[in-house]
Amino acid sequence: MSVEIACPQCKGILKAPPGMAGKKARCKRCQHAFRIPGGDANSEMDSTGDSENLSVIADAPFAFDQPPMPPAPPVAKKSESKPVPKSEPKTEPVADDNPFAIPTAGPIEAEPAPEPKSKSKYKTKPDKAESSAKNSSRSQSYRTKVPSQAGGGRGRTIKLLLAALLCAGGGAGGFYAFMEYQKSQSSQPAVANAPPTDSAPAPDPSKPVEEKAKAAVDAKPAPVAGQSAPDRRPNPNAPRGGPKVSGGMKLPPFADKPKAYEKPTATISLDHDVMAVRQVMVGGSEGPVVLVMRRTFDGLGGKGMKDTIDRYALNTLRRIDQTEVPADAVMAYPRISDVGPGGDRFAFEHPAGKLTVVQLGTKTVIVDGLDLAGEMIGKDKAAHPGIASIHFLTDEKIIIVTKAGVVESWDLVGKKKVGSSESFPGATNLVERQSLAFHRDRDPNKSLVFAYGGGAIYSAVPGGKPQLALSVPHGPMECLALAVDGGGNRLAVAYRASEPGKHVRFLHARIGDPKPGSDQPLDAEVGVPRSAEWTRPETFSIFTDKGQGLSWDADTNQLIAGFRTPTPTIVAADGAKHWCLLPDAKDAKKAVLVNVTLPPEDYSPSLTGDKWKAMALTITADGTAK
């Protein structure tokens, strides 16, 4: 009958066959050798147990301090503690199923598989056995789970390989970071907080003599302490490059609490607030009117939108009627449109690329979506450039300027094109009041269209050939605002220049003169010009995107006034006067159109030659204040 005994080392229960008492045995689990209690201690022969958990070796002196090599036990972490003294018995449980146990990194040969040719399956190397014994004594208290013989060594091998790869990757990353740090240190100046200089570096001794000489010629002298570097531009007095021009013309400073200066010439009270108004137009040479356009219906699904036009008579300042016109989401404000000479016809683009004309105050549609590309066929019809501006010559005749700079004449009665001019040179994507201007003459055949293209301004009569009107200096990049005076003799141009550096300028010139009458840089604080208007034969105004502008005398070349509104607003010109849309001071839910005179009524240096000091005017609902 077999006997169950406990291993003195790992406390595991072993099964020994009968007759093993007093014999030497070895625990196969921890490889600990011990003598089975009982029997004759001096027996010279040992027997081998038939249990799989027990093995018997030859007689030898028994010692606990020199056990054979046990398998590598699992440990929670690398321990540098000293071996547990022999006097402290081990008290761990027989087995622990803790899933978080971490196996110790021991020799892979700790539990080798039995070799077929080996005479003893317990044969181990003495040096490895001693090392395993020390590791076992250090980490035995952390043993929680005995790795199985199958697959235990393979798992440790994979872990060792992963650890080696991590170490190699960390070393490579550290080397790369060190090299980048060395590069950054080498790129920094040698002296901290040293002032920048324009001096060139010393020539490289390895370069040829010719390169050394060229480097010496190109070297710039370093500026003296306390002095700026010398200006080596071709024109030192010209403004430096960049979006903001140093030395550009600025507006006079505005007062924090301006005082009333001039009352408005006229005021029109509206029944809606400022945000509802989308566009203001002044027209009707035979019957002057003001048109106020607002969105009244947003449609359903982007279709069926409606705009309402309120028409006011300038002689009575009262509303005449309301007219509803179609709109769509494609058309932006201000809409491309014009008012007829009689003040009762309204022409506009709708739908995109087509012409519609209505009779104001009625539901009469004179022209309904006339296809301007109707005479074209095939690909030419699909490539129509689109409408840039619409202008009445008479109530029955209209001209249309395409975005490509072609002036077309149309008969509204016959609904057909009756003339076309050549395209303006270099004209692309023209925009009304920015790169395109129109002068209506009493003789419709002498009306002029002005357009910017290729760094110059050209003019053309309906059906005529474009003629050069003005060459714009300083490398123009784009035209920001363009206006022609009432006689068709002078131009006012605001543009973005590229020489020297990008900046904004404005000029005025007589048509046909080779040189502008004046060409001034504009400081960036004034804003970007959006439109220009001639208010008198000798004065014009420029409006910017910051709700402010300036009035300029073209005869004396001086600034008359800078003006601003409390908020950016819609401005429409009416000869020497401007209609400005402002909130009603008495009712915040309503708006007013204020008609102010720019330049002021008392300005007269153009005629008298008197000195004039530029003033800063604030446009309010009560007129101008300074």
Side-chain angles (χ1 to χ4, degrees), residues 134-158:
K134 293 181 179 180
N135 291 338
S136 175
S137 62
R138 291 176 182 176
S139 58
Q140 187 64 31
S141 60
Y142 301 101
R143 181 190 304 275
T144 56
K145 187 175 182 180
V146 179
S148 62
Q149 183 176 357
R154 183 182 305 170
R156 286 191 294 273
T157 303
I158 294 176

Side-chain angles (χ1 to χ4, degrees), residues 258-276:
K259 297 181 180 180
Y261 179 64
E262 284 186 352
K263 293 184 178 181
T265 307
T267 302
I268 298 177
S269 298
L270 308 181
D271 295 333
H272 33 267
D273 60 10
V274 173
M275 301 304 296

Side-chain angles (χ1 to χ4, degrees), residues 1 43 68 83 100 102 116 146 149 242 252 254 356 420 484-485 570 591 613:
M1 181 177 180
S43 176
F100 302 99
I102 303 175
V146 179
Q149 183 176 357
F254 295 95
T356 299
S420 179
V484 58
D485 70 344
I570 299 175
K613 184 179 179 180

Side-chain angles (χ1 to χ4, degrees), residues 153 159 266 274 305 350 574 584:
K159 292 184 177 73
V274 173
M305 297 180 178
H350 181 81
D574 174 23
D584 192 339

Side-chain angles (χ1 to χ4, degrees), residues 30 45 79 151 195 230 260 374 406 460 511 535 540:
C30 64
M45 298 296 294
S79 174
V406 178
I511 297 174
T535 54
F540 63 89

Side-chain angles (χ1 to χ4, degrees), residues 22 76 91 148 197 300 305 330 354 363 370 376 442 458 497 574:
T91 58
S148 62
T197 63
L300 299 174
M305 297 180 178
V330 180
K354 298 183 179 181
K363 296 183 179 180
L370 178 62
M376 300 180 179
R442 293 181 179 179
Y458 295 88
D574 174 23

Side-chain angles (χ1 to χ4, degrees), residues 451-517:
Y452 169 84
I457 308 294
Y458 295 88
S459 64
V461 297
K465 184 177 181 180
Q467 302 292 329
L468 178 64
L470 174 66
S471 294
V472 183
H474 299 287
M477 302 173 61
E478 62 175 323
C479 189
L480 302 173
L482 176 62
V484 58
D485 70 344
N489 301 317
R490 283 181 168 182
L491 291 175
V493 184
Y495 64 101
R496 196 183 303 277
S498 62
E499 299 173 359
K502 297 180 181 179
H503 63 286
V504 175
R505 305 181 71 92
F506 73 94
L507 61 82
H508 67 86
R510 292 187 179 273
I511 297 174
D513 284 356
K515 289 182 61 177

